[in-house]
Amino acid sequence: MTNQTINTSEASQWVDVCDINDLTPETGVCALVGEQQVAIFYSGKLDQLFAIDNYDPIGKANVLSRGIIGSIGERICVASPLYKQHFDLTTGECLEQAEHRIRAYPVNLAGNRVQVGIR
């Protein structure tokens, strides 16, 4: 993976989270970014990083980092381990229940360091 900003949303500050080698492809980890739990995923198939809120608004628990990533059509998503709703890793949309949405964060790779953007 080359040094690049993966998601293009603007960030006012980059928070260093972990080394890229700490991530296992196709799985998530949870990181505390400021006071917010953030789920970070590395898709080895796409060679791409994603970051979303770890909080599942339907199951009302911080569990999304333990979900399974995959795709539905062209959308890359994570399935919540609780009730299996799918959240788009790029937009934060819930595919089954549009009234629910989580925050998607910009992600940057600086050298081997994964950074999450906050506003």
Side-chain angles (χ1 to χ4, degrees):
M1 181 177 278
T2 58
N3 294 359
Q4 59 185 333
T5 301
I6 310 276
N7 293 342
T8 58
S9 302
E10 290 188 27
S12 62
Q13 177 183 356
W14 292 105
V15 177
D16 187 79
V17 176
C18 65
D19 190 279
I20 188 69
N21 297 310
D22 294 334
L23 302 177
T24 302
E26 317 318 326
T27 63
V29 297
C30 181
L32 193 58
V33 178
E35 295 182 13
Q36 182 69 37
Q37 287 191 29
V38 176
I40 300 166
F41 298 92
Y42 171 59
S43 170
K45 293 176 185 174
L46 300 175
D47 195 28
Q48 193 168 354
L49 291 162
F50 300 94
I52 58 172
D53 283 334
N54 193 41
Y55 186 75
D56 177 347
I58 299 162
K60 299 189 183 338
N62 288 302
V63 296
L64 291 179
S65 63
R66 294 183 282 176
I68 297 171
I69 64 171
S71 63
I72 295 179
E74 296 295 315
R75 299 179 88 167
I76 306 304
C77 55
V78 61
S80 172
L82 295 177
Y83 298 112
K84 311 303 183 232
Q85 283 87 358
H86 297 88
F87 293 91
D88 186 302
L89 288 173
T90 304
T91 66
E93 282 180 85
C94 178
L95 303 185
E96 289 82 12
Q97 296 176 274
E99 68 272 18
H100 293 285
R101 174 182 287 270
I102 57 174
R103 184 182 312 181
Y105 296 86
V107 183
N108 185 55
L109 188 63
N112 282 340
R113 301 301 298 174
V114 176
Q115 300 173 331
V116 174
I118 58 173
R119 296 171 207 207

